[in-house]
Amino acid sequence: MDIEDFNARWLAAWTAKDVTALLGFYAEDCLYKDNNTAAGITGHAALKGYLEGLFAATPPMTYTPETVWAIDGGFCGRWYCDIATPDGVTKMRGFDLVILEGDLIIENEVYVHMLL
């Protein structure tokens, strides 16, 4: 698998807020964690509901991959995100730990912080 291509297509789906496309990257029994889901959420149905709520509550966001590197069972990737606000753009930096089962994400942990 070309992890740079996978990561770029995956982040493009995040930018597009395309829930259907995003679910296509995740295994049915995936585990997803970010700063809003401390215990994590498991499975497509839960992830779908979470993403629909998240995307409805957030402004346009543009994700730009910075770098990815392979690890046993998956990859890690750093990215930047431009968040549209009424006053301009706020910038965020993030990091994903992605564990794959075949060509699907079985586990995804997301870490983010705002940039000054």
Side-chain angles (χ1 to χ4, degrees), residues 50-70:
Y50 173 70
L51 292 174
E52 289 172 343
L54 177 69
F55 292 158
T58 56
M61 302 169 85
T62 302
Y63 293 86
T64 304
E66 180 191 8
T67 188
V68 295
W69 60 95

Side-chain angles (χ1 to χ4, degrees), residues 11-28:
L11 291 177
W14 278 96
T15 295
K17 296 185 177 189
D18 187 337
V19 174
T20 302
L22 281 169
L23 290 175
F25 286 93
Y26 289 87
E28 286 287 334

Side-chain angles (χ1 to χ4, degrees), residues 32-107:
Y32 175 88
K33 295 179 180 180
D34 68 15
N35 60 331
N36 296 314
T37 63
I41 52 179
T42 302
H44 266 198
L47 183 56
K48 180 179 187 282
Y50 173 70
L51 292 174
E52 289 172 343
L54 177 69
F55 292 158
T58 56
M61 302 169 85
T62 302
Y63 293 86
T64 304
E66 180 191 8
T67 188
V68 295
W69 60 95
I71 60 169
D72 286 343
F75 67 91
C76 293
R78 280 194 312 239
W79 44 263
Y80 288 96
C81 180
D82 291 337
I83 305 166
T85 68
D87 297 326
V89 174
T90 298
K91 296 191 177 282
M92 179 171 62
R93 182 177 172 108
F95 173 92
D96 280 283
L97 168 64
V98 176
I99 305 299
L100 298 166
E101 187 171 86
D103 61 352
L104 295 175
I105 300 168
I106 191 71
E107 185 175 340

